[in-house]
């Protein structure tokens, strides 16, 4: 056992090798640490790298973070063409970081906790919970409205808090959510998915052919959107216009009964395990006969399987007892943090992006529909003339879906923090899945989830956000 | 302070020891202590992801979570996953360790292969399992279909049915913990003095008798450490559930870390999320203390 006395105090004990004392090690380590800490903090540009544009340093910097777009061509255009051009024109070095869509909430929370990060942060759902951390985006909205006229209602209701009168985000785009269906398979059945009744009628035959209907009931974004839209078609809503919970209704019971029948007769239990990419993959693998999704399915098919792409057609959401009420598939919502270092340029960047949205619209291959329709002239003609579409004119319907059948989460009220929480906890898919698998009756589910939603709404109401 | 005196101070044990340990203490304090205090503070407030601070609400977050069925499911699953996965790990690691301690050709290769899952990042290996259990392209289902053991159009959904999803998650936890426990068990077996084995042989203890009366008691303290690590790693892990099911189907595979993340970060209710995360703290603390006490009691000197 080591004896403390063997390490005599004050002795110049040497480390094996005979030349370095403990004191020297500690002194050198301390000096090294000081050098790293203070040296790093003092040099502003030491590790900043080569200036982006030769011959001159740009005056300002602007940092943006956004998702890795479902259409890769959009990111290429945005990063390499638009941002570079805008940066040079505005004497600003713009950096763009991309993250997976599922990581957006965690990244946002981290930036807010650190009160540091990017100047412009992009969300895929209206980020109402972050209202206190962002500037009021009203100025940008006014600037764009001055040049491009009225904002689309879906974008307004997704980003404007009707209680606090604040724009908690700036929406540049939204994606319509069409019904993707296989014309060959539906042709064999002799129906079209124009109504939910038709879908239920065709479902058993389609499943028997090995091609079930694909509407997810899983903890992922597509399930949230598809099931919320189905609810609205049946007249079931989470909240009313005044943001009061109205879930426990006959319409909710009816839509839950309908979805249970649809699952039992025409879907398979794979829908409970899906990720956001699963319905795309299943459609592209030739498995599904129908799915609700943005145009990522057809765009991917055009690239990897043109024959299959020609068999996938688009329609508006099927009609229900309450009509055709669809939801946006994703809502592009930029925020400028209060702690952003370059707020003026961030505001200018967003306004400029929206005012001339043609590039974004074209390069997203019509995935991003402008929140100010006048920012892209002749949308209907552009989508109709898509050069890749098979059969030609396939995307024409998108303009109609965008105009008539695209609403915000939480409609008829505005999107708010409670809706955001309900979506992010995947409580809607959970409610549907429990009923579909026979864990609850539709009546029980409507009652229990109504109570649960009231609790969430009350919490945010107490915080003054609803 | 004169230079000579400063030099003397650094050579004194009572100054040198604290000086050397200080960085570790500061490190633990900053990275563990500070977040813990912040979590306790947040759990007693109505802070949101967008506010960072909030009004004092006492134990409201704890009581509201306790009455939430999803929380209860998460709490139950955390205990079930942890116990079942660790039971599998202890059993599997014991068998593997007894096999791998022996001399045989290719022993090092076998040890390397057994250790491999531990070396792979959790997220990466779990993504591998996500593909293995995929709803459409599952290699398990492909094999079963080829063998005509399942319905071609309605194969089992490993992540889409609650019981199967629970089993899948437990399997992945057990798979990733097994190498670590095996290595510890091998170390435990290797540390048993040869004389003890010889003495047991002289006394006529062989086979199961030797295992029960000699090997297991000597191995118990180190096996306890393996179990302790296993419990902490499983109960606090979020990656496996997050990647495989995100808590689904219908939140039936939620675990406390995942539910804390979903409530606090994704749902924006930071205070409630902190409360969920802290539910596990006293449980794990008690388990740790009990197991360390147990390890000390059974320690053979």
């Amino acid at each position: 056992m080591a004896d403390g006395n063997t390490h005599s105090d004050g002795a110049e004990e040497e480390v094996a090798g005979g030349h370095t004392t403990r004191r020297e090690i500690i002194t050198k380590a301390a000096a090294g640490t000081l050098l790293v800490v203070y040296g790093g903090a003092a040099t502003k540009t030491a590790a900043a790298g080569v200036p982006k544009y030769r011959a001159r340093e740009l005056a300002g910097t602007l940092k943006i973070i956004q998702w890795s777009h479902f259409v890769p061509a959009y990111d290429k255009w945005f990063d390499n063409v638009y941002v570079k051009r805008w940066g040079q024109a505005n004497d600003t070095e713009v950096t763009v970081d991309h993250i997976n869509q599922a990581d957006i909430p965690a990244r946002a929370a981290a930036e807010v906790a650190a009160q540091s990060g990017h100047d412009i942060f992009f969300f895929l759902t209206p980020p109402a919970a972050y209202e206190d951390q962002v500037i009021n985006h009203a100025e940008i909205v006014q600037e764009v409205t001055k040049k491009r006229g009225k904002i689309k209602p879906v974008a307004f209701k997704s980003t404007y808090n009707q209680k606090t009168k604040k724009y908690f985000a700036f929406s540049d785009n939204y994606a319509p959510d069409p019904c993707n269906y296989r014309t060959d398979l539906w042709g064999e059945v002799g129906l079209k998915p124009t109504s939910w009744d038709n879908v239920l009628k065709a479902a058993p035959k389609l499943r028997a052919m090995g091609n079930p209907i694909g509407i997810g009931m899983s903890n992922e974004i597509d399930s949230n959107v598809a099931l919320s839209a189905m609810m609205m078609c049946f007249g079931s809503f989470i909240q009313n216009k005044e943001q009061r919970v109205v879930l426990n209704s006959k319409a909710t019971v009816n839509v839950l009964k309908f979805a249970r029948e649809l699952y039992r007769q025409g879907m398979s239990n794979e829908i409970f395990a899906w990720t956001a990419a699963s319905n795309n993959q299943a459609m592209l693998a030739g498995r599904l006969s129908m799915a609700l999704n943005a145009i990522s399915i057809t765009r991917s098919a055009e690239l990897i399987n043109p024959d299959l792409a020609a068999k996938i057609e688009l329609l508006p959401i099927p009609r229900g007892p309450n009509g055709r009420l669809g939801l946006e598939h994703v809502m592009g919502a930029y925020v400028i943090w209060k702690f952003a270092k370059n707020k003026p340029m961030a505001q200018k960047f967003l306004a400029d992006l929206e005012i001339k949205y043609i590039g974004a619209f074209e390069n997203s291959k019509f995935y991003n529909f402008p929140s100010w329709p006048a920012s892209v002239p002749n949308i209907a003609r552009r989508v109709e003339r898509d050069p890749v579409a098979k059969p030609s004119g396939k995307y024409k319907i998108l303009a109609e879906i965008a105009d008539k059948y695209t609403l915000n989460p939480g409609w008829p009220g505005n999107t708010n923090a409670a809706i955001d929480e309900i979506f992010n906890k995947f409580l809607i898919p959970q409610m549907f899945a429990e009923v579909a698998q026979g864990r609850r009756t539709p009546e029980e589910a409507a009652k229990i989830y109504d109570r649960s939603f009231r609790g969430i709404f009350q919490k945010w109401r107490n915080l003054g956000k609803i | 302070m004169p230079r000579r005196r400063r030099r003397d101070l650094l050579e004194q044990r009572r100054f040198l020891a604290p000086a050397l340990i200080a960085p570790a203490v500061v490190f633990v304090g900053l990275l563990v202590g500070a977040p813990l205090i912040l979590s306790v503070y947040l759990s007693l407030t109505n802070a949101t992801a967008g506010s960072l601070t909030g009004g004092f609400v006492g134990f409201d977050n704890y009581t509201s979570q306790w009455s939430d069925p999803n929380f209860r499911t998460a709490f139950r699953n955390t205990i079930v996953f942890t116990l079942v996965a660790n039971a599998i790990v202890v059993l599997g690691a014991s068998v593997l360790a007894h096999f791998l301690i022996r001399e045989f050709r290719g022993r090092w290769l076998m040890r390397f292969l057994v250790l491999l899952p531990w070396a792979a990042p959790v997220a990466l290996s779990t993504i591998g399992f996500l593909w293995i259990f995929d709803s459409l392209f599952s290699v398990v289902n492909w094999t079963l279909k080829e063998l005509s053991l399942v319905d071609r159009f309605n194969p089992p959904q490993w992540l889409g049915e609650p019981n199967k999803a629970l089993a899948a998650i437990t399997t992945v936890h057990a798979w990733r913990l097994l190498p670590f426990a095996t290595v510890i068990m091998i170390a435990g077996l290797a540390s048993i003095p040869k004389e003890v084995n010889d003495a047991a042989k002289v006394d006529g203890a062989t086979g199961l008798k030797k295992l029960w009366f000699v090997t297991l008691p000597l191995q118990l303290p180190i096996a306890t450490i393996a179990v302790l690590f296993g419990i902490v790693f499983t109960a606090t892990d979020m990656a496996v559930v997050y990647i495989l099911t995100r808590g689904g189907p219908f939140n039936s595979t939620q675990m406390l870390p995942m539910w804390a993340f979903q409530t606090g970060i994704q749902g924006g209710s930071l205070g409630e999320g902190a409360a969920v995360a802290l539910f596990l703290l006293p449980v794990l603390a008690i388990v740790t203390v009990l197991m360390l006490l147990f390890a000390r009691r059974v320690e053979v000197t």
Side-chain angles (χ1 to χ4, degrees), chain A residues 11 22-23 133 219 269 274 287 421 424 430 459, chain B residues 7 16 50 70 153 157 161 246 251 266 269 272:
Chain A
R22 287 189 306 225
R23 188 181 62 249
Q133 293 296 324
N219 287 9
N269 50 9
W274 274 359
R287 161 98 170 143
E421 180 168 343
N424 284 326
Q430 183 181 340
K459 183 177 67 192
Chain B
R7 197 172 118 181
L16 184 65
N70 285 330
F153 292 118
Q157 290 300 327
E161 297 164 33
R246 295 157 312 285
N251 286 324
Q266 293 191 310
S269 297
E272 281 186 70

PDB file of all heavy atoms in Angstrom, chain A residues 11 22-23 133 219 269 274 287 421 424 430 459, chain B residues 7 16 50 70 153 157 161 246 251 266 269 272:
ATOM      1  N   ALA A  11       9.598  18.026  -1.542  1.00  0.00           N
ATOM      2  CA  ALA A  11      10.687  17.341  -2.254  1.00  0.00           C
ATOM      3  C   ALA A  11      10.551  17.536  -3.751  1.00  0.00           C
ATOM      4  O   ALA A  11       9.454  17.606  -4.284  1.00  0.00           O
ATOM      5  CB  ALA A  11      10.659  15.854  -1.930  1.00  0.00           C
ATOM      6  N   ARG A  22       6.549  17.501 -11.036  1.00  0.00           N
ATOM      7  CA  ARG A  22       5.100  17.660 -11.036  1.00  0.00           C
ATOM      8  C   ARG A  22       4.722  19.120 -11.225  1.00  0.00           C
ATOM      9  O   ARG A  22       3.757  19.465 -11.904  1.00  0.00           O
ATOM     10  CB  ARG A  22       4.526  17.163  -9.698  1.00  0.00           C
ATOM     11  CG  ARG A  22       4.545  15.666  -9.564  1.00  0.00           C
ATOM     12  CD  ARG A  22       3.775  15.228  -8.355  1.00  0.00           C
ATOM     13  NE  ARG A  22       4.205  15.878  -7.134  1.00  0.00           N
ATOM     14  CZ  ARG A  22       4.408  15.238  -5.983  1.00  0.00           C
ATOM     15  NH1 ARG A  22       4.231  13.947  -5.918  1.00  0.00           N
ATOM     16  NH2 ARG A  22       4.755  15.882  -4.904  1.00  0.00           N
ATOM     17  N   ARG A  23       5.515  19.977 -10.579  1.00  0.00           N
ATOM     18  CA  ARG A  23       5.217  21.403 -10.662  1.00  0.00           C
ATOM     19  C   ARG A  23       5.257  21.889 -12.112  1.00  0.00           C
ATOM     20  O   ARG A  23       4.432  22.651 -12.579  1.00  0.00           O
ATOM     21  CB  ARG A  23       6.213  22.187  -9.804  1.00  0.00           C
ATOM     22  CG  ARG A  23       5.842  23.659  -9.677  1.00  0.00           C
ATOM     23  CD  ARG A  23       6.833  24.431  -8.841  1.00  0.00           C
ATOM     24  NE  ARG A  23       8.169  24.434  -9.419  1.00  0.00           N
ATOM     25  CZ  ARG A  23       9.209  23.803  -8.907  1.00  0.00           C
ATOM     26  NH1 ARG A  23       9.079  23.074  -7.819  1.00  0.00           N
ATOM     27  NH2 ARG A  23      10.381  23.849  -9.492  1.00  0.00           N
ATOM     28  N   GLN A 133     -39.630  34.123 -27.989  1.00  0.00           N
ATOM     29  CA  GLN A 133     -38.212  34.164 -28.355  1.00  0.00           C
ATOM     30  C   GLN A 133     -37.966  34.783 -29.729  1.00  0.00           C
ATOM     31  O   GLN A 133     -36.829  34.897 -30.152  1.00  0.00           O
ATOM     32  CB  GLN A 133     -37.652  32.731 -28.368  1.00  0.00           C
ATOM     33  CG  GLN A 133     -37.606  32.089 -26.999  1.00  0.00           C
ATOM     34  CD  GLN A 133     -36.651  32.801 -26.056  1.00  0.00           C
ATOM     35  OE1 GLN A 133     -35.610  33.284 -26.478  1.00  0.00           O
ATOM     36  NE2 GLN A 133     -37.012  32.885 -24.787  1.00  0.00           N
ATOM     37  N   ASN A 219     -46.501   7.614 -35.070  1.00  0.00           N
ATOM     38  CA  ASN A 219     -45.964   8.852 -34.486  1.00  0.00           C
ATOM     39  C   ASN A 219     -45.072   9.572 -35.490  1.00  0.00           C
ATOM     40  O   ASN A 219     -43.843   9.593 -35.345  1.00  0.00           O
ATOM     41  CB  ASN A 219     -45.181   8.520 -33.215  1.00  0.00           C
ATOM     42  CG  ASN A 219     -46.084   8.138 -32.076  1.00  0.00           C
ATOM     43  OD1 ASN A 219     -47.276   7.965 -32.265  1.00  0.00           O
ATOM     44  ND2 ASN A 219     -45.529   8.031 -30.881  1.00  0.00           N
ATOM     45  N   ASN A 269     -51.433  -3.657 -40.824  1.00  0.00           N
ATOM     46  CA  ASN A 269     -50.920  -3.053 -39.594  1.00  0.00           C
ATOM     47  C   ASN A 269     -49.550  -2.396 -39.738  1.00  0.00           C
ATOM     48  O   ASN A 269     -49.009  -1.880 -38.770  1.00  0.00           O
ATOM     49  CB  ASN A 269     -50.923  -4.068 -38.443  1.00  0.00           C
ATOM     50  CG  ASN A 269     -50.269  -5.360 -38.846  1.00  0.00           C
ATOM     51  OD1 ASN A 269     -49.668  -5.430 -39.916  1.00  0.00           O
ATOM     52  ND2 ASN A 269     -50.382  -6.372 -38.019  1.00  0.00           N
ATOM     53  N   TRP A 274     -45.045   3.248 -39.184  1.00  0.00           N
ATOM     54  CA  TRP A 274     -44.439   4.081 -40.221  1.00  0.00           C
ATOM     55  C   TRP A 274     -43.602   5.240 -39.690  1.00  0.00           C
ATOM     56  O   TRP A 274     -43.901   5.809 -38.634  1.00  0.00           O
ATOM     57  CB  TRP A 274     -45.553   4.650 -41.109  1.00  0.00           C
ATOM     58  CG  TRP A 274     -45.930   3.717 -42.223  1.00  0.00           C
ATOM     59  CD1 TRP A 274     -45.370   2.501 -42.489  1.00  0.00           C
ATOM     60  CD2 TRP A 274     -46.955   3.926 -43.193  1.00  0.00           C
ATOM     61  NE1 TRP A 274     -45.989   1.941 -43.579  1.00  0.00           N
ATOM     62  CE2 TRP A 274     -46.957   2.785 -44.028  1.00  0.00           C
ATOM     63  CE3 TRP A 274     -47.856   4.945 -43.451  1.00  0.00           C
ATOM     64  CZ2 TRP A 274     -47.820   2.645 -45.106  1.00  0.00           C
ATOM     65  CZ3 TRP A 274     -48.725   4.807 -44.519  1.00  0.00           C
ATOM     66  CH2 TRP A 274     -48.702   3.679 -45.343  1.00  0.00           C
ATOM     67  N   ARG A 287     -46.390  -1.148 -53.454  1.00  0.00           N
ATOM     68  CA  ARG A 287     -47.229  -1.827 -52.453  1.00  0.00           C
ATOM     69  C   ARG A 287     -48.579  -1.131 -52.276  1.00  0.00           C
ATOM     70  O   ARG A 287     -49.611  -1.768 -52.244  1.00  0.00           O
ATOM     71  CB  ARG A 287     -46.449  -1.851 -51.134  1.00  0.00           C
ATOM     72  CG  ARG A 287     -47.281  -2.098 -49.895  1.00  0.00           C
ATOM     73  CD  ARG A 287     -47.232  -3.532 -49.476  1.00  0.00           C
ATOM     74  NE  ARG A 287     -47.819  -3.746 -48.168  1.00  0.00           N
ATOM     75  CZ  ARG A 287     -48.537  -4.806 -47.840  1.00  0.00           C
ATOM     76  NH1 ARG A 287     -48.774  -5.740 -48.729  1.00  0.00           N
ATOM     77  NH2 ARG A 287     -49.019  -4.958 -46.629  1.00  0.00           N
ATOM     78  N   GLU A 421     -48.418  21.475 -29.728  1.00  0.00           N
ATOM     79  CA  GLU A 421     -48.075  20.425 -28.758  1.00  0.00           C
ATOM     80  C   GLU A 421     -48.824  19.126 -29.082  1.00  0.00           C
ATOM     81  O   GLU A 421     -48.250  18.039 -29.019  1.00  0.00           O
ATOM     82  CB  GLU A 421     -48.391  20.886 -27.328  1.00  0.00           C
ATOM     83  CG  GLU A 421     -48.033  19.808 -26.310  1.00  0.00           C
ATOM     84  CD  GLU A 421     -48.040  20.277 -24.858  1.00  0.00           C
ATOM     85  OE1 GLU A 421     -48.010  21.495 -24.612  1.00  0.00           O
ATOM     86  OE2 GLU A 421     -48.075  19.400 -23.984  1.00  0.00           O
ATOM     87  N   ASN A 424     -47.064  17.628 -31.995  1.00  0.00           N
ATOM     88  CA  ASN A 424     -45.722  17.124 -31.699  1.00  0.00           C
ATOM     89  C   ASN A 424     -45.720  15.927 -30.760  1.00  0.00           C
ATOM     90  O   ASN A 424     -44.735  15.202 -30.674  1.00  0.00           O
ATOM     91  CB  ASN A 424     -44.845  18.241 -31.135  1.00  0.00           C
ATOM     92  CG  ASN A 424     -44.390  19.182 -32.225  1.00  0.00           C
ATOM     93  OD1 ASN A 424     -44.152  18.754 -33.360  1.00  0.00           O
ATOM     94  ND2 ASN A 424     -44.305  20.455 -31.919  1.00  0.00           N
ATOM     95  N   GLN A 430     -52.365   8.705 -32.302  1.00  0.00           N
ATOM     96  CA  GLN A 430     -52.550   7.796 -31.166  1.00  0.00           C
ATOM     97  C   GLN A 430     -54.039   7.490 -30.970  1.00  0.00           C
ATOM     98  O   GLN A 430     -54.427   6.339 -30.774  1.00  0.00           O
ATOM     99  CB  GLN A 430     -51.964   8.416 -29.898  1.00  0.00           C
ATOM    100  CG  GLN A 430     -52.051   7.489 -28.697  1.00  0.00           C
ATOM    101  CD  GLN A 430     -51.480   8.106 -27.427  1.00  0.00           C
ATOM    102  OE1 GLN A 430     -50.711   9.050 -27.478  1.00  0.00           O
ATOM    103  NE2 GLN A 430     -51.861   7.567 -26.292  1.00  0.00           N
ATOM    104  N   LYS A 459     -53.357  24.944 -20.263  1.00  0.00           N
ATOM    105  CA  LYS A 459     -51.977  25.283 -19.892  1.00  0.00           C
ATOM    106  C   LYS A 459     -51.473  26.483 -20.695  1.00  0.00           C
ATOM    107  O   LYS A 459     -50.935  27.434 -20.136  1.00  0.00           O
ATOM    108  CB  LYS A 459     -51.079  24.056 -20.146  1.00  0.00           C
ATOM    109  CG  LYS A 459     -49.657  24.244 -19.747  1.00  0.00           C
ATOM    110  CD  LYS A 459     -48.867  22.980 -19.973  1.00  0.00           C
ATOM    111  CE  LYS A 459     -48.750  22.654 -21.440  1.00  0.00           C
ATOM    112  NZ  LYS A 459     -48.243  21.312 -21.695  1.00  0.00           N
TER     113      LYS A 459
ATOM    114  N   ARG B   7       5.924  27.552  -5.122  1.00  0.00           N
ATOM    115  CA  ARG B   7       6.528  26.297  -5.560  1.00  0.00           C
ATOM    116  C   ARG B   7       6.376  25.239  -4.470  1.00  0.00           C
ATOM    117  O   ARG B   7       6.011  24.109  -4.730  1.00  0.00           O
ATOM    118  CB  ARG B   7       7.993  26.588  -5.843  1.00  0.00           C
ATOM    119  CG  ARG B   7       8.669  25.547  -6.680  1.00  0.00           C
ATOM    120  CD  ARG B   7      10.026  26.018  -7.057  1.00  0.00           C
ATOM    121  NE  ARG B   7      11.031  25.120  -6.512  1.00  0.00           N
ATOM    122  CZ  ARG B   7      12.321  25.296  -6.662  1.00  0.00           C
ATOM    123  NH1 ARG B   7      12.784  26.378  -7.258  1.00  0.00           N
ATOM    124  NH2 ARG B   7      13.177  24.433  -6.182  1.00  0.00           N
ATOM    125  N   LEU B  16      -1.554  19.669  -3.535  1.00  0.00           N
ATOM    126  CA  LEU B  16      -1.417  19.025  -4.837  1.00  0.00           C
ATOM    127  C   LEU B  16      -2.627  18.114  -5.142  1.00  0.00           C
ATOM    128  O   LEU B  16      -3.170  18.150  -6.251  1.00  0.00           O
ATOM    129  CB  LEU B  16      -0.128  18.192  -4.876  1.00  0.00           C
ATOM    130  CG  LEU B  16       0.157  17.561  -6.239  1.00  0.00           C
ATOM    131  CD1 LEU B  16       0.411  18.618  -7.286  1.00  0.00           C
ATOM    132  CD2 LEU B  16       1.331  16.608  -6.157  1.00  0.00           C
ATOM    133  N   GLY B  50     -40.061  27.991 -25.223  1.00  0.00           N
ATOM    134  CA  GLY B  50     -39.885  29.348 -25.718  1.00  0.00           C
ATOM    135  C   GLY B  50     -39.729  30.389 -24.624  1.00  0.00           C
ATOM    136  O   GLY B  50     -39.602  31.576 -24.917  1.00  0.00           O
ATOM    137  N   ASN B  70     -50.059   8.245 -20.863  1.00  0.00           N
ATOM    138  CA  ASN B  70     -48.811   8.045 -21.612  1.00  0.00           C
ATOM    139  C   ASN B  70     -47.604   7.996 -20.683  1.00  0.00           C
ATOM    140  O   ASN B  70     -46.658   7.248 -20.908  1.00  0.00           O
ATOM    141  CB  ASN B  70     -48.616   9.161 -22.644  1.00  0.00           C
ATOM    142  CG  ASN B  70     -49.528   8.982 -23.835  1.00  0.00           C
ATOM    143  OD1 ASN B  70     -49.869   7.856 -24.187  1.00  0.00           O
ATOM    144  ND2 ASN B  70     -49.960  10.075 -24.427  1.00  0.00           N
ATOM    145  N   PHE B 153     -48.779 -11.201 -47.704  1.00  0.00           N
ATOM    146  CA  PHE B 153     -49.315  -9.836 -47.787  1.00  0.00           C
ATOM    147  C   PHE B 153     -49.491  -9.178 -46.424  1.00  0.00           C
ATOM    148  O   PHE B 153     -49.665  -7.982 -46.328  1.00  0.00           O
ATOM    149  CB  PHE B 153     -50.661  -9.841 -48.530  1.00  0.00           C
ATOM    150  CG  PHE B 153     -50.506 -10.195 -49.977  1.00  0.00           C
ATOM    151  CD1 PHE B 153     -51.099 -11.331 -50.511  1.00  0.00           C
ATOM    152  CD2 PHE B 153     -49.732  -9.399 -50.819  1.00  0.00           C
ATOM    153  CE1 PHE B 153     -50.935 -11.658 -51.841  1.00  0.00           C
ATOM    154  CE2 PHE B 153     -49.562  -9.722 -52.152  1.00  0.00           C
ATOM    155  CZ  PHE B 153     -50.156 -10.849 -52.675  1.00  0.00           C
ATOM    156  N   GLN B 157     -45.674  -7.204 -38.129  1.00  0.00           N
ATOM    157  CA  GLN B 157     -45.118  -5.848 -38.090  1.00  0.00           C
ATOM    158  C   GLN B 157     -44.381  -5.689 -36.770  1.00  0.00           C
ATOM    159  O   GLN B 157     -44.981  -5.436 -35.737  1.00  0.00           O
ATOM    160  CB  GLN B 157     -46.238  -4.813 -38.241  1.00  0.00           C
ATOM    161  CG  GLN B 157     -46.850  -4.790 -39.615  1.00  0.00           C
ATOM    162  CD  GLN B 157     -45.840  -4.450 -40.699  1.00  0.00           C
ATOM    163  OE1 GLN B 157     -44.905  -3.679 -40.472  1.00  0.00           O
ATOM    164  NE2 GLN B 157     -46.004  -5.020 -41.882  1.00  0.00           N
ATOM    165  N   GLU B 161     -46.902  -3.462 -33.888  1.00  0.00           N
ATOM    166  CA  GLU B 161     -47.813  -4.093 -32.932  1.00  0.00           C
ATOM    167  C   GLU B 161     -47.176  -3.998 -31.556  1.00  0.00           C
ATOM    168  O   GLU B 161     -45.985  -4.305 -31.406  1.00  0.00           O
ATOM    169  CB  GLU B 161     -48.039  -5.562 -33.326  1.00  0.00           C
ATOM    170  CG  GLU B 161     -48.720  -5.700 -34.681  1.00  0.00           C
ATOM    171  CD  GLU B 161     -48.594  -7.107 -35.244  1.00  0.00           C
ATOM    172  OE1 GLU B 161     -48.572  -8.063 -34.457  1.00  0.00           O
ATOM    173  OE2 GLU B 161     -48.490  -7.223 -36.476  1.00  0.00           O
ATOM    174  N   ARG B 246     -40.344   5.848 -32.049  1.00  0.00           N
ATOM    175  CA  ARG B 246     -40.724   7.182 -31.560  1.00  0.00           C
ATOM    176  C   ARG B 246     -41.864   7.069 -30.542  1.00  0.00           C
ATOM    177  O   ARG B 246     -42.725   7.920 -30.446  1.00  0.00           O
ATOM    178  CB  ARG B 246     -41.114   8.118 -32.720  1.00  0.00           C
ATOM    179  CG  ARG B 246     -39.972   8.432 -33.662  1.00  0.00           C
ATOM    180  CD  ARG B 246     -40.436   8.854 -35.034  1.00  0.00           C
ATOM    181  NE  ARG B 246     -41.439   7.991 -35.593  1.00  0.00           N
ATOM    182  CZ  ARG B 246     -41.204   6.784 -36.091  1.00  0.00           C
ATOM    183  NH1 ARG B 246     -39.987   6.287 -36.118  1.00  0.00           N
ATOM    184  NH2 ARG B 246     -42.196   6.048 -36.558  1.00  0.00           N
ATOM    185  N   ASN B 251     -48.109   5.253 -28.781  1.00  0.00           N
ATOM    186  CA  ASN B 251     -47.345   5.544 -27.559  1.00  0.00           C
ATOM    187  C   ASN B 251     -47.248   4.351 -26.609  1.00  0.00           C
ATOM    188  O   ASN B 251     -47.056   4.541 -25.408  1.00  0.00           O
ATOM    189  CB  ASN B 251     -47.938   6.761 -26.836  1.00  0.00           C
ATOM    190  CG  ASN B 251     -47.602   8.056 -27.565  1.00  0.00           C
ATOM    191  OD1 ASN B 251     -46.517   8.189 -28.124  1.00  0.00           O
ATOM    192  ND2 ASN B 251     -48.527   8.993 -27.588  1.00  0.00           N
ATOM    193  N   GLN B 266     -40.128  18.637 -27.902  1.00  0.00           N
ATOM    194  CA  GLN B 266     -40.996  18.676 -29.081  1.00  0.00           C
ATOM    195  C   GLN B 266     -42.336  19.331 -28.778  1.00  0.00           C
ATOM    196  O   GLN B 266     -42.837  20.111 -29.565  1.00  0.00           O
ATOM    197  CB  GLN B 266     -41.203  17.259 -29.616  1.00  0.00           C
ATOM    198  CG  GLN B 266     -39.915  16.672 -30.183  1.00  0.00           C
ATOM    199  CD  GLN B 266     -40.134  15.389 -30.940  1.00  0.00           C
ATOM    200  OE1 GLN B 266     -40.778  14.485 -30.432  1.00  0.00           O
ATOM    201  NE2 GLN B 266     -39.586  15.290 -32.129  1.00  0.00           N
ATOM    202  N   SER B 269     -43.380  21.932 -23.602  1.00  0.00           N
ATOM    203  CA  SER B 269     -43.655  22.106 -22.168  1.00  0.00           C
ATOM    204  C   SER B 269     -42.430  21.693 -21.360  1.00  0.00           C
ATOM    205  O   SER B 269     -42.337  20.577 -20.834  1.00  0.00           O
ATOM    206  CB  SER B 269     -44.856  21.255 -21.756  1.00  0.00           C
ATOM    207  OG  SER B 269     -45.991  21.692 -22.436  1.00  0.00           O
ATOM    208  N   GLU B 272     -42.840  20.419 -17.637  1.00  0.00           N
ATOM    209  CA  GLU B 272     -43.361  19.054 -17.533  1.00  0.00           C
ATOM    210  C   GLU B 272     -42.323  18.035 -18.004  1.00  0.00           C
ATOM    211  O   GLU B 272     -42.178  16.967 -17.402  1.00  0.00           O
ATOM    212  CB  GLU B 272     -44.629  18.900 -18.377  1.00  0.00           C
ATOM    213  CG  GLU B 272     -45.860  19.469 -17.709  1.00  0.00           C
ATOM    214  CD  GLU B 272     -47.120  19.167 -18.510  1.00  0.00           C
ATOM    215  OE1 GLU B 272     -47.512  18.008 -18.559  1.00  0.00           O
ATOM    216  OE2 GLU B 272     -47.668  20.113 -19.103  1.00  0.00           O
TER     217      GLU B 272
END
